[in-house]
Structure formats: C-alpha cells, structure tokens
Amino acid sequence: YLEAPVLGTIDLRTAPFDTRVIASCEYTRTLYCRGNVPREHVERIYYGQDVRPYDPSRADGARVRRELGIAPERPVVGDVAYFYPPLPDNPFTPHHLVHRGVKGHDVLLRAVPQVLARVPDALFVLVGEGWGPGGAAYEARLKQMARDLGVEEAVMFTGARTDVPDTLMAFDVSVQCSLNVSSSHAACASRATPSRLRPRPSGSAGAPSVATIVAATSIRLATCARRALAGSCQGQRMIAGTRADS
C-alpha cells in the first residue's frame, strides 16, 4: 500500500526512523527508493513458505476431480483465492484498485470466452469464499458476471476447501490474477505442486502457472513458467487461447 495516497506518504516519511525497512519483493524496494529512502536502508526478504505440505507424493488430485464431478480428461484452469470485495474510493486505496477486487477474479472471468474459443471443453475452477462482510455479495456478483458472459457452464465455484495441495494437483493450469501482491503464497504453492499431466522432474518447476505481472509474482514465476509450459500439452492448449497481456 505504498501506492495509496495517505498510507504511502506516512510510510515513506517514517521510514528513516526505522533501523531497517524490510521489503518483501523488489518492486516494494523500488517504491521506497522512489520515495527517497536510501537503497541501503531497505532490505529485500521474500516471504518464507513451508512447501512440505505440497509434497506431490501425498497429493491426490484425482480424488478432488471425482468429488467435484470433473472428468479425468477435462482440461482445468484453477484459481485459489479469497473473494475480497472491491475496495472503496478513498485516500487509503491505491488508485488502480479503486472499485476493484484485489484478487482479480473479474479479469479471469473476462478471459474465459477467449480460452473457450480455442478449448471448448475447458473448465475454470474458482476455489475460495467471500472475505468479510462484503465478500459473499462480491462472490454472488462474480457468479452473475459468469452468467452475463454466457460462460456459467464452464465456471465452477467450489467454496472454501482445506485440501489445497490435492486441489492444486487437480488443475492443469494454475492461475493467479491478483492486481496487487508483493509475493504470492499461492503462486509458490503452485510451483511446488506438479501438474497432474506431468511428473515433476528433478530441479524443475511445479504446475504450469499463469500470473498477472505484478510485483514479485512475475519475477518468481518467470523462469519456471517457461519450463512448465514446455512440459504440458494441455497447458499449452489453454494458454494459447489467451493474449500474453491478459
């Protein structure tokens, strides 16, 4: 929220009083430097994440598909995220997030017709629940958006799930379309979990991932995405249906 008018100003003006400022990605460090905080005063430390729960030898994506009634051969694009309601227009909201849901579910839904034009049997699985008082209402709006776009038969809202490693294994492509994030835990988890179509070779990335180009997410996924996409024919089919800048 360094990009929010009030919060950003307060943070930048008080930063010199800190012994060190910790930025969780390079983009955040850049914002501090643009605000005249000396670069040597800002340390970049990525969030740590225990990926042991995402051990592919223990994940069972087939079970999740059976439970959700998804055919084994059907291509699946999945997104795991809370439905955060749109942010208000006030000095505490970054300008690019005003009236937007920060997780970008609307961006994903608008891309669905493009993918279906190339892969008609693709299914989009949105895993999560509404966050806070406005979350449930926003989720309902997204469901209506799917109906308005004529893609409701290709979009599944599963609600909250506690078996995220298994759920990730059920995806052919994992999507993270957040509009503002410093370091995506979900993207890291997707990298740790192999595609159900492709075993994870030693030293390679996890499941094929598509992410918005925000902050650290693009940096952390850039190298592994090229390897992952090369290894999944199903993933290539689906991603070919979207524009590179979508």
Side-chain angles (χ1 to χ4, degrees), residues 120-190:
D121 57 337
L123 177 67
F124 292 77
V125 176
L126 277 60
V127 180
E129 63 183 349
W131 179 272
Y138 181 56
E139 182 179 354
R141 282 174 52 188
L142 291 170
K143 291 178 180 178
Q144 182 60 51
M145 181 179 181
R147 290 190 288 270
D148 293 342
L149 290 169
V151 298
E152 67 272 22
E153 297 300 323
V155 179
M156 176 184 293
F157 291 79
T158 70
R161 296 189 67 92
T162 58
D163 55 350
V164 173
D166 292 350
T167 301
L168 289 173
M169 183 68 94
F171 298 164
D172 294 300
V173 175
S174 179
V175 175
Q176 293 302 318
C177 45
S178 293
L179 305 180
N180 189 40
V181 62
S182 59
S183 185
S184 172
H185 287 263
C188 294
S190 296

Side-chain angles (χ1 to χ4, degrees), residues 5-238:
V6 170
L7 297 179
T9 299
I10 294 173
D11 202 333
L12 291 172
R13 290 185 178 179
T14 58
F17 299 100
D18 298 326
T19 303
R20 279 289 190 276
V21 175
I22 305 299
S24 60
C25 70
E26 187 59 35
Y27 181 67
T28 299
R29 181 159 66 175
T30 298
L31 290 177
Y32 276 111
C33 294
R34 288 177 185 171
N36 297 318
V37 178
R39 189 173 184 83
E40 61 271 16
H41 192 66
V42 185
E43 298 287 347
R44 185 197 66 199
I45 301 177
Y46 287 121
Y47 293 138
Q49 183 169 7
D50 183 1
V51 298
R52 287 175 295 182
Y54 301 92
D55 181 351
S57 67
R58 300 168 58 185
D60 188 359
R63 177 193 61 78
V64 173
R65 284 190 168 233
R66 289 193 301 271
E67 182 179 314
L68 296 177
I70 304 172
E73 69 279 2
R74 189 170 187 182
V76 171
V77 179
D79 183 12
V80 179
Y82 282 112
F83 296 99
Y84 292 103
L87 295 172
D89 184 0
N90 62 38
F92 300 97
T93 300
H95 295 303
H96 67 286
L97 295 180
V98 172
H99 303 317
R100 301 293 303 276
V102 70
K103 291 301 181 180
H105 288 98
D106 59 315
V107 176
L108 176 59
L109 289 178
R110 282 195 294 270
V112 172
Q114 298 180 51
V115 178
L116 293 179
R118 298 284 296 272
V119 189
D121 57 337
L123 177 67
F124 292 77
V125 176
L126 277 60
V127 180
E129 63 183 349
W131 179 272
Y138 181 56
E139 182 179 354
R141 282 174 52 188
L142 291 170
K143 291 178 180 178
Q144 182 60 51
M145 181 179 181
R147 290 190 288 270
D148 293 342
L149 290 169
V151 298
E152 67 272 22
E153 297 300 323
V155 179
M156 176 184 293
F157 291 79
T158 70
R161 296 189 67 92
T162 58
D163 55 350
V164 173
D166 292 350
T167 301
L168 289 173
M169 183 68 94
F171 298 164
D172 294 300
V173 175
S174 179
V175 175
Q176 293 302 318
C177 45
S178 293
L179 305 180
N180 189 40
V181 62
S182 59
S183 185
S184 172
H185 287 263
C188 294
S190 296
R191 288 177 57 188
T193 308
S195 167
R196 69 185 186 93
L197 298 176
R198 177 183 54 82
R200 178 178 179 173
S202 176
S204 77
S209 298
V210 177
T212 42
I213 304 175
V214 291
T217 302
S218 58
I219 297 172
R220 301 184 78 173
L221 289 177
T223 301
C224 72
R226 287 191 291 271
R227 298 174 182 170
L229 294 178
S232 172
C233 294
Q234 198 82 284
Q236 288 177 323
R237 285 180 60 211
M238 286 182 282

